[in-house]
Amino acid sequence: MRKCLATGEMKPKKEMIRIVRSKEGEVSVDLTGKKSGRGAYISLEREAILAAKKKNIFASQLSAEVNESIYDELLSLVDKESK
């Protein structure tokens, strides 16, 4: 079980997406859940992603600059899941 940063809900790891910060400070979406680095989880829901973007949760949690493209990638994953 993992905790969603945006909603605070505990969910199985498979229902969430991991965002990871590498040692170099690069933030990326980790679809495999196996990349090395500091990870944070978010529910695969549009509302959760938009809340995380608005509050800039990943930047504070991962202590790194989070590019706008990360949120765009997450939203496109949600769109793919819902189809």
Side-chain angles (χ1 to χ4, degrees):
M1 298 290 277
R2 299 288 186 264
K3 187 175 184 176
C4 174
L5 285 181
T7 64
E9 293 178 279
M10 295 293 284
K11 291 186 175 184
K13 194 175 173 182
K14 292 185 191 273
E15 293 179 20
M16 305 184 92
I17 293 288
R18 183 173 185 246
I19 310 300
V20 66
R21 175 185 45 91
S22 66
K23 287 184 180 178
E24 295 80 34
E26 189 176 311
V27 177
S28 61
V29 177
D30 180 10
L31 297 174
T32 64
K34 296 179 179 169
K35 285 185 181 177
S36 63
R38 174 87 170 107
Y41 289 85
I42 190 163
S43 299
L44 199 52
E45 298 168 1
R46 180 172 285 281
E47 296 78 25
I49 294 165
L50 293 174
K53 182 178 181 179
K54 183 178 181 181
K55 296 176 187 173
N56 209 13
I57 292 173
F58 290 124
S60 59
Q61 189 70 27
L62 298 174
S63 303
E65 185 82 20
V66 178
N67 197 323
E68 194 78 20
S69 64
I70 297 293
Y71 296 106
D72 295 338
E73 188 176 342
L74 289 170
L75 290 170
S76 69
L77 286 169
V78 169
D79 292 341
K80 285 180 189 174
E81 283 285 318
S82 62
K83 290 182 181 177

Coordinates of all heavy atoms in Angstrom, one line a residue:
M1 N 0.8 -1.2 0.0 CA 0.0 0.0 0.0 C 0.9 1.3 0.0 O 1.9 1.3 0.7 CB -0.9 0.0 1.2 CG -1.9 -1.1 1.3 SD -3.2 -1.1 0.1 CE -4.3 0.0 0.9
R2 N 0.5 2.2 -0.7 CA 1.2 3.5 -0.8 C 0.2 4.6 -0.6 O -1.0 4.5 -0.8 CB 1.8 3.7 -2.2 CG 2.8 2.6 -2.6 CD 4.1 2.8 -1.8 NE 5.2 1.9 -2.2 CZ 5.4 0.8 -1.6 NH1 4.7 0.3 -0.6 NH2 6.4 0.0 -2.0
K3 N 0.7 5.8 -0.1 CA -0.1 6.9 0.1 C 0.0 7.9 -1.0 O 1.1 8.3 -1.4 CB 0.3 7.6 1.5 CG -0.6 8.7 1.9 CD -0.1 9.2 3.3 CE -1.1 10.2 3.8 NZ -0.7 10.6 5.2
C4 N -1.2 8.4 -1.5 CA -1.2 9.4 -2.5 C -0.9 10.7 -1.9 O -1.5 11.1 -0.9 CB -2.6 9.4 -3.2 SG -2.8 10.8 -4.3
L5 N 0.0 11.5 -2.5 CA 0.4 12.8 -2.0 C -0.7 13.8 -2.0 O -0.8 14.6 -1.2 CB 1.6 13.3 -2.7 CG 3.0 12.7 -2.4 CD1 4.0 13.4 -3.3 CD2 3.3 12.8 -1.0
A6 N -1.5 13.7 -3.1 CA -2.5 14.7 -3.3 C -3.8 14.5 -2.4 O -4.3 15.4 -1.8 CB -3.0 14.7 -4.8
T7 N -4.2 13.2 -2.3 CA -5.5 12.9 -1.6 C -5.3 12.3 -0.2 O -6.2 12.4 0.6 CB -6.3 11.9 -2.4 OG1 -5.6 10.6 -2.5 CG2 -6.6 12.4 -3.8
G8 N -4.1 11.8 0.0 CA -3.8 11.2 1.3 C -4.4 9.8 1.5 O -4.3 9.1 2.5
E9 N -5.0 9.2 0.4 CA -5.6 7.9 0.4 C -4.5 6.8 0.3 O -3.5 7.0 -0.4 CB -6.5 7.7 -0.7 CG -7.7 8.5 -0.7 CD -8.6 8.3 -1.9 OE1 -8.3 8.9 -3.0 OE2 -9.6 7.5 -1.9
M10 N -4.7 5.7 1.0 CA -3.8 4.6 0.9 C -4.4 3.7 -0.2 O -5.6 3.3 -0.1 CB -3.7 3.8 2.2 CG -3.1 4.6 3.3 SD -1.3 5.0 3.1 CE -0.6 3.4 3.4
K11 N -3.6 3.3 -1.2 CA -4.1 2.5 -2.2 C -3.0 1.5 -2.6 O -1.8 1.7 -2.3 CB -4.4 3.3 -3.5 CG -5.6 4.2 -3.3 CD -5.9 4.9 -4.7 CE -7.1 5.7 -4.6 NZ -7.5 6.2 -5.9
P12 N -3.3 0.4 -3.3 CA -2.3 -0.6 -3.8 C -1.4 0.1 -4.7 O -1.8 1.0 -5.5 CB -3.1 -1.7 -4.4 CG -4.5 -1.6 -3.9 CD -4.7 -0.1 -3.5
K13 N -0.1 -0.3 -4.7 CA 0.9 0.3 -5.6 C 0.5 0.3 -7.1 O 0.8 1.2 -7.8 CB 2.2 -0.5 -5.4 CG 3.4 0.2 -5.9 CD 4.6 -0.7 -5.5 CE 5.9 -0.2 -6.1 NZ 7.0 -1.0 -5.8
K14 N -0.2 -0.7 -7.5 CA -0.6 -0.9 -8.9 C -1.6 0.2 -9.4 O -1.8 0.4 -10.5 CB -1.1 -2.3 -9.2 CG -0.1 -3.3 -9.1 CD -0.7 -4.7 -9.5 CE 0.3 -5.8 -9.1 NZ 1.2 -6.1 -10.0
E15 N -2.3 0.8 -8.4 CA -3.3 1.8 -8.8 C -2.8 3.2 -8.8 O -3.5 4.2 -8.9 CB -4.5 1.7 -7.8 CG -5.3 0.5 -7.9 CD -6.4 0.4 -6.8 OE1 -6.8 1.5 -6.3 OE2 -6.9 -0.7 -6.6
M16 N -1.5 3.3 -8.6 CA -0.8 4.6 -8.5 C 0.3 4.7 -9.5 O 0.8 3.8 -10.0 CB -0.3 4.8 -7.1 CG -1.5 4.7 -6.1 SD -1.0 5.0 -4.4 CE -1.4 6.7 -4.4
I17 N 0.8 6.0 -9.7 CA 1.9 6.3 -10.5 C 3.0 6.8 -9.6 O 2.7 7.7 -8.7 CB 1.5 7.3 -11.6 CG1 0.5 6.7 -12.6 CG2 2.7 7.8 -12.3 CD1 1.1 5.7 -13.5
R18 N 4.2 6.4 -9.9 CA 5.4 6.9 -9.1 C 6.1 8.0 -9.9 O 6.4 7.9 -11.1 CB 6.3 5.7 -8.9 CG 7.5 6.1 -8.0 CD 8.3 4.8 -7.7 NE 9.4 5.1 -6.8 CZ 10.7 5.0 -7.1 NH1 11.0 4.6 -8.3 NH2 11.6 5.3 -6.2
I19 N 6.4 9.1 -9.2 CA 7.2 10.1 -9.7 C 8.6 10.0 -9.0 O 8.6 9.9 -7.7 CB 6.6 11.5 -9.4 CG1 5.2 11.6 -9.8 CG2 7.4 12.6 -10.1 CD1 4.9 11.3 -11.3
V20 N 9.7 10.1 -9.7 CA 11.0 9.8 -9.1 C 12.0 11.0 -9.4 O 11.9 11.5 -10.4 CB 11.5 8.5 -9.5 CG1 11.9 8.5 -11.0 CG2 12.8 8.1 -8.7
R21 N 12.8 11.3 -8.4 CA 13.9 12.2 -8.5 C 15.2 11.5 -8.5 O 15.5 10.8 -7.5 CB 13.8 13.3 -7.4 CG 15.1 14.2 -7.5 CD 15.1 15.2 -6.4 NE 14.9 14.7 -5.0 CZ 15.9 14.2 -4.2 NH1 17.1 14.2 -4.6 NH2 15.6 13.7 -3.0
S22 N 16.0 11.6 -9.5 CA 17.3 10.9 -9.6 C 18.3 11.6 -8.7 O 18.0 12.7 -8.2 CB 17.7 10.8 -11.0 OG 18.0 12.1 -11.5
K23 N 19.4 11.0 -8.5 CA 20.5 11.7 -7.8 C 20.9 13.0 -8.4 O 21.4 13.9 -7.7 CB 21.7 10.7 -7.7 CG 21.5 9.6 -6.7 CD 22.7 8.8 -6.6 CE 22.5 7.6 -5.6 NZ 23.7 6.8 -5.5
E24 N 20.8 13.1 -9.7 CA 21.1 14.3 -10.4 C 20.1 15.4 -10.3 O 20.3 16.5 -10.7 CB 21.4 14.0 -11.9 CG 22.5 13.1 -12.2 CD 22.2 11.7 -12.0 OE1 21.0 11.2 -12.2 OE2 23.1 10.9 -11.5
G25 N 19.0 15.1 -9.6 CA 17.9 16.1 -9.4 C 16.9 16.1 -10.5 O 16.0 17.0 -10.6
E26 N 16.9 15.1 -11.5 CA 16.0 15.1 -12.6 C 14.7 14.4 -12.1 O 14.8 13.3 -11.6 CB 16.7 14.3 -13.7 CG 15.9 14.4 -15.0 CD 16.7 13.7 -16.1 OE1 17.9 13.9 -16.3 OE2 16.0 12.8 -16.8
V27 N 13.6 15.0 -12.4 CA 12.3 14.4 -12.0 C 11.6 13.8 -13.2 O 11.6 14.4 -14.3 CB 11.4 15.5 -11.4 CG1 10.0 14.9 -11.1 CG2 12.0 16.1 -10.2
S28 N 11.1 12.5 -13.1 CA 10.5 11.9 -14.2 C 9.4 11.0 -13.7 O 9.3 10.6 -12.5 CB 11.5 11.1 -15.0 OG 12.1 10.1 -14.2
V29 N 8.5 10.6 -14.6 CA 7.4 9.6 -14.3 C 8.0 8.2 -14.4 O 8.7 7.9 -15.4 CB 6.2 9.8 -15.3 CG1 5.2 8.7 -15.1 CG2 5.6 11.2 -15.2
D30 N 7.8 7.4 -13.4 CA 8.4 6.1 -13.4 C 7.2 5.0 -13.6 O 6.5 4.7 -12.6 CB 9.1 5.8 -12.0 CG 9.7 4.5 -11.9 OD1 9.7 3.7 -12.9 OD2 10.1 4.1 -10.8
L31 N 7.0 4.6 -14.8 CA 5.9 3.7 -15.1 C 6.2 2.3 -14.5 O 5.3 1.5 -14.2 CB 5.7 3.6 -16.6 CG 5.2 4.9 -17.2 CD1 5.1 4.8 -18.7 CD2 3.9 5.4 -16.6
T32 N 7.5 1.9 -14.4 CA 7.8 0.6 -14.0 C 7.8 0.5 -12.4 O 7.6 -0.6 -11.9 CB 9.3 0.2 -14.4 OG1 10.2 1.1 -13.9 CG2 9.4 0.2 -15.9
G33 N 8.0 1.6 -11.8 CA 8.1 1.6 -10.3 C 9.4 1.1 -9.8 O 9.6 0.8 -8.6
K34 N 10.4 1.0 -10.7 CA 11.7 0.4 -10.3 C 12.9 1.3 -10.5 O 14.0 0.9 -10.2 CB 11.9 -0.9 -11.1 CG 10.9 -1.9 -10.7 CD 11.1 -3.2 -11.5 CE 10.0 -4.2 -11.1 NZ 10.0 -5.3 -11.9
K35 N 12.7 2.6 -11.0 CA 13.8 3.5 -11.2 C 14.4 3.8 -9.8 O 13.7 3.9 -8.8 CB 13.4 4.8 -11.8 CG 13.1 4.6 -13.3 CD 12.8 6.0 -13.9 CE 12.4 5.9 -15.4 NZ 12.1 7.3 -15.9
S36 N 15.7 4.0 -9.8 CA 16.3 4.4 -8.5 C 16.2 5.9 -8.3 O 16.1 6.7 -9.2 CB 17.8 4.0 -8.5 OG 18.5 4.8 -9.5
G37 N 16.1 6.2 -7.0 CA 15.9 7.6 -6.6 C 14.7 7.8 -5.6 O 14.1 6.8 -5.2
R38 N 14.5 9.0 -5.2 CA 13.5 9.3 -4.3 C 12.1 9.3 -5.0 O 12.0 10.0 -6.0 CB 13.8 10.7 -3.7 CG 12.7 11.3 -2.8 CD 12.9 10.8 -1.4 NE 12.0 11.5 -0.5 CZ 11.0 11.0 0.1 NH1 10.7 9.7 -0.1 NH2 10.2 11.7 0.9
G39 N 11.2 8.5 -4.5 CA 9.9 8.4 -5.2 C 8.8 9.0 -4.4 O 8.8 9.1 -3.2
A40 N 7.7 9.4 -5.1 CA 6.5 9.8 -4.5 C 5.3 9.3 -5.4 O 5.5 9.1 -6.6 CB 6.4 11.3 -4.5
Y41 N 4.2 8.9 -4.7 CA 3.1 8.3 -5.5 C 1.9 9.2 -5.6 O 1.7 10.0 -4.6 CB 2.7 7.0 -4.8 CG 3.7 5.9 -4.9 CD1 4.8 5.8 -4.1 CD2 3.6 5.0 -5.9 CE1 5.7 4.8 -4.2 CE2 4.5 4.0 -6.1 CZ 5.6 3.9 -5.2 OH 6.5 2.9 -5.4
I42 N 1.2 9.1 -6.7 CA -0.1 9.8 -6.8 C -1.1 8.9 -7.5 O -0.8 8.1 -8.3 CB 0.1 11.1 -7.7 CG1 -1.1 12.0 -7.6 CG2 0.6 10.8 -9.1 CD1 -0.9 13.4 -8.1
S43 N -2.4 9.1 -7.1 CA -3.5 8.3 -7.7 C -3.6 8.7 -9.2 O -3.3 9.8 -9.6 CB -4.8 8.6 -7.0 OG -4.7 8.3 -5.6
L44 N -4.0 7.7 -9.9 CA -4.2 7.9 -11.4 C -5.6 8.5 -11.6 O -6.4 7.9 -12.2 CB -4.0 6.6 -12.1 CG -3.7 6.6 -13.6 CD1 -2.5 7.6 -13.9 CD2 -3.4 5.3 -14.1
E45 N -5.8 9.7 -11.0 CA -7.1 10.4 -11.2 C -6.8 11.8 -11.5 O -5.9 12.5 -11.0 CB -7.8 10.4 -9.8 CG -8.2 9.0 -9.4 CD -8.7 8.9 -7.9 OE1 -8.8 10.0 -7.3 OE2 -9.0 7.8 -7.5
R46 N -7.6 12.4 -12.4 CA -7.4 13.7 -12.9 C -7.4 14.8 -11.8 O -6.6 15.6 -11.7 CB -8.5 14.1 -13.9 CG -8.4 15.5 -14.5 CD -9.4 15.7 -15.6 NE -8.9 15.0 -16.9 CZ -8.0 15.6 -17.7 NH1 -7.4 16.7 -17.4 NH2 -7.6 14.9 -18.8
E47 N -8.4 14.6 -10.9 CA -8.5 15.5 -9.7 C -7.2 15.6 -8.9 O -6.8 16.6 -8.4 CB -9.7 15.2 -8.9 CG -11.1 15.4 -9.6 CD -11.4 14.2 -10.5 OE1 -10.8 13.1 -10.3 OE2 -12.1 14.4 -11.5
A48 N -6.7 14.4 -8.6 CA -5.5 14.3 -7.8 C -4.3 14.9 -8.4 O -3.5 15.7 -7.8 CB -5.2 12.8 -7.5
I49 N -4.2 14.7 -9.7 CA -3.0 15.3 -10.5 C -3.1 16.8 -10.5 O -2.2 17.6 -10.3 CB -2.9 14.7 -11.9 CG1 -2.6 13.2 -11.8 CG2 -1.9 15.5 -12.7 CD1 -2.8 12.5 -13.0
L50 N -4.4 17.3 -10.8 CA -4.6 18.8 -10.8 C -4.3 19.4 -9.4 O -3.8 20.5 -9.3 CB -6.0 19.1 -11.3 CG -6.2 18.7 -12.8 CD1 -7.6 19.0 -13.2 CD2 -5.3 19.5 -13.7
A51 N -4.7 18.7 -8.4 CA -4.5 19.2 -7.0 C -3.0 19.3 -6.7 O -2.5 20.2 -6.1 CB -5.2 18.3 -6.0
A52 N -2.3 18.2 -7.1 CA -0.8 18.2 -6.9 C -0.1 19.3 -7.7 O 0.8 20.0 -7.2 CB -0.3 16.9 -7.3
K53 N -0.6 19.6 -8.9 CA 0.0 20.7 -9.7 C -0.3 22.0 -9.0 O 0.6 22.9 -8.9 CB -0.6 20.6 -11.1 CG -0.1 21.7 -12.0 CD -0.7 21.5 -13.4 CE -0.2 22.5 -14.4 NZ -0.8 22.3 -15.7
K54 N -1.5 22.2 -8.6 CA -1.9 23.5 -8.0 C -1.1 23.8 -6.7 O -0.6 24.9 -6.5 CB -3.4 23.5 -7.7 CG -3.9 24.8 -7.1 CD -5.4 24.7 -6.9 CE -6.0 26.0 -6.4 NZ -7.4 25.9 -6.1
K55 N -0.9 22.8 -5.9 CA -0.2 23.0 -4.6 C 1.3 22.8 -4.7 O 2.0 22.9 -3.8 CB -0.8 22.0 -3.6 CG -2.2 22.2 -3.2 CD -2.7 21.1 -2.3 CE -4.2 21.2 -2.1 NZ -4.7 20.0 -1.3
N56 N 1.7 22.4 -5.9 CA 3.2 22.1 -6.2 C 3.7 21.1 -5.2 O 4.8 21.2 -4.7 CB 4.0 23.4 -6.1 CG 5.2 23.4 -7.0 OD1 5.3 22.5 -7.8 ND2 6.1 24.3 -6.8
I57 N 3.0 20.0 -5.0 CA 3.3 19.0 -4.0 C 4.6 18.2 -4.3 O 5.4 18.0 -3.4 CB 2.1 18.0 -3.9 CG1 0.9 18.7 -3.2 CG2 2.5 16.8 -3.0 CD1 -0.3 17.8 -3.2
F58 N 4.8 17.9 -5.6 CA 6.0 17.1 -5.9 C 7.2 17.9 -5.7 O 8.2 17.3 -5.3 CB 5.9 16.6 -7.4 CG 4.9 15.5 -7.6 CD1 3.9 15.7 -8.5 CD2 4.9 14.4 -6.9 CE1 2.9 14.7 -8.8 CE2 3.9 13.4 -7.1 CZ 2.9 13.6 -8.0
A59 N 7.2 19.2 -6.0 CA 8.4 20.0 -5.9 C 8.9 20.0 -4.4 O 10.0 19.8 -4.1 CB 8.2 21.4 -6.4
S60 N 7.9 20.1 -3.5 CA 8.3 20.2 -2.1 C 8.6 18.8 -1.5 O 9.5 18.7 -0.8 CB 7.1 20.8 -1.2 OG 6.0 20.1 -1.4
Q61 N 7.9 17.8 -2.0 CA 8.2 16.4 -1.5 C 9.5 15.9 -2.0 O 10.2 15.2 -1.3 CB 7.0 15.5 -1.9 CG 7.0 14.1 -1.3 CD 6.7 14.1 0.2 OE1 6.0 15.0 0.7 NE2 7.2 13.2 0.9
L62 N 9.8 16.1 -3.3 CA 11.0 15.6 -3.8 C 12.2 16.6 -3.8 O 13.3 16.2 -4.2 CB 10.8 15.2 -5.3 CG 9.7 14.1 -5.5 CD1 9.5 14.0 -7.0 CD2 10.1 12.8 -4.9
S63 N 12.0 17.7 -3.2 CA 13.0 18.8 -3.1 C 13.7 19.0 -4.5 O 14.9 19.0 -4.6 CB 14.1 18.4 -2.1 OG 13.5 18.2 -0.8
A64 N 12.9 19.2 -5.5 CA 13.4 19.4 -6.9 C 12.4 20.2 -7.7 O 11.2 20.2 -7.4 CB 13.7 18.1 -7.5
E65 N 12.9 20.8 -8.7 CA 12.1 21.6 -9.7 C 11.3 20.5 -10.5 O 11.9 19.6 -11.1 CB 13.0 22.4 -10.6 CG 12.3 23.3 -11.5 CD 11.8 24.6 -10.9 OE1 12.4 25.0 -9.9 OE2 10.9 25.2 -11.5
V66 N 10.0 20.7 -10.6 CA 9.2 19.8 -11.3 C 8.7 20.5 -12.6 O 8.0 21.5 -12.5 CB 8.0 19.3 -10.5 CG1 7.1 18.4 -11.4 CG2 8.5 18.5 -9.3
N67 N 9.0 20.0 -13.7 CA 8.7 20.6 -15.0 C 7.2 20.4 -15.3 O 6.6 19.4 -14.9 CB 9.5 19.9 -16.1 CG 9.5 20.7 -17.4 OD1 8.5 21.3 -17.8 ND2 10.7 20.7 -18.0
E68 N 6.6 21.3 -16.0 CA 5.2 21.3 -16.4 C 4.9 20.0 -17.2 O 3.8 19.5 -17.1 CB 4.9 22.5 -17.2 CG 3.4 22.8 -17.4 CD 2.8 23.5 -16.2 OE1 3.5 24.0 -15.3 OE2 1.5 23.4 -16.1
S69 N 5.8 19.5 -17.9 CA 5.6 18.4 -18.8 C 5.3 17.1 -18.0 O 4.7 16.2 -18.5 CB 6.8 18.1 -19.7 OG 8.0 17.8 -18.9
I70 N 5.8 17.1 -16.7 CA 5.5 15.9 -15.8 C 4.0 15.8 -15.6 O 3.4 14.7 -15.7 CB 6.2 16.0 -14.5 CG1 7.7 16.0 -14.7 CG2 5.8 14.9 -13.5 CD1 8.3 14.7 -15.2
Y71 N 3.4 16.9 -15.3 CA 1.9 16.9 -15.1 C 1.2 16.6 -16.4 O 0.1 15.9 -16.4 CB 1.5 18.3 -14.5 CG 2.0 18.6 -13.2 CD1 3.1 19.5 -13.0 CD2 1.6 17.9 -12.0 CE1 3.6 19.7 -11.7 CE2 2.1 18.1 -10.8 CZ 3.1 19.0 -10.6 OH 3.7 19.2 -9.4
D72 N 1.6 17.1 -17.5 CA 1.0 16.8 -18.8 C 1.1 15.3 -19.1 O 0.1 14.8 -19.6 CB 1.7 17.6 -19.9 CG 1.5 19.1 -19.8 OD1 0.6 19.5 -19.1 OD2 2.4 19.9 -20.4
E73 N 2.2 14.7 -18.8 CA 2.4 13.3 -19.0 C 1.4 12.5 -18.1 O 0.8 11.5 -18.6 CB 3.8 12.9 -18.7 CG 4.2 11.5 -19.1 CD 5.6 11.1 -18.9 OE1 6.5 12.1 -18.8 OE2 6.0 9.9 -18.9
L74 N 1.3 12.9 -16.9 CA 0.4 12.2 -16.0 C -1.1 12.4 -16.5 O -1.8 11.4 -16.4 CB 0.5 12.8 -14.6 CG 1.8 12.5 -13.8 CD1 1.9 13.3 -12.5 CD2 1.8 11.0 -13.5
L75 N -1.5 13.5 -16.9 CA -2.8 13.7 -17.4 C -3.1 12.9 -18.6 O -4.2 12.4 -18.8 CB -3.1 15.2 -17.6 CG -3.2 16.1 -16.4 CD1 -3.2 17.6 -16.7 CD2 -4.4 15.7 -15.6
S76 N -2.1 12.8 -19.5 CA -2.3 12.0 -20.7 C -2.4 10.5 -20.3 O -3.1 9.7 -21.0 CB -1.1 12.2 -21.7 OG 0.1 11.6 -21.2
L77 N -1.7 10.0 -19.3 CA -1.9 8.7 -18.8 C -3.3 8.4 -18.3 O -3.8 7.4 -18.5 CB -0.8 8.4 -17.7 CG 0.6 8.2 -18.1 CD1 1.5 8.2 -17.0 CD2 0.8 6.9 -18.9
V78 N -3.8 9.4 -17.6 CA -5.2 9.3 -17.0 C -6.2 9.2 -18.2 O -7.1 8.4 -18.2 CB -5.6 10.5 -16.2 CG1 -7.0 10.5 -15.8 CG2 -4.7 10.5 -14.9
D79 N -6.0 10.0 -19.2 CA -6.8 9.9 -20.4 C -6.8 8.6 -21.1 O -7.8 8.1 -21.5 CB -6.5 11.1 -21.4 CG -6.8 12.4 -20.9 OD1 -7.6 12.5 -19.9 OD2 -6.2 13.4 -21.4
K80 N -5.6 8.0 -21.2 CA -5.4 6.7 -21.8 C -6.1 5.6 -21.0 O -6.8 4.7 -21.5 CB -4.0 6.3 -21.9 CG -3.2 7.0 -23.0 CD -1.8 6.6 -23.1 CE -1.0 7.5 -24.1 NZ 0.4 7.2 -24.0
E81 N -6.0 5.7 -19.7 CA -6.7 4.7 -18.8 C -8.2 4.8 -18.9 O -8.8 3.8 -18.7 CB -6.3 5.0 -17.3 CG -4.9 4.5 -16.9 CD -4.8 3.0 -16.8 OE1 -5.7 2.4 -16.2 OE2 -3.8 2.4 -17.3
S82 N -8.7 6.0 -19.0 CA -10.2 6.1 -19.0 C -10.8 5.7 -20.3 O -12.0 5.5 -20.4 CB -10.6 7.5 -18.7 OG -10.1 8.4 -19.7
K83 N -10.0 5.4 -21.4 CA -10.5 5.0 -22.7 C -10.6 3.5 -22.8 O -10.1 2.8 -22.1 CB -9.7 5.6 -23.8 CG -9.9 7.0 -23.9 CD -9.1 7.6 -25.1 CE -9.2 9.1 -25.2 NZ -8.5 9.7 -26.2

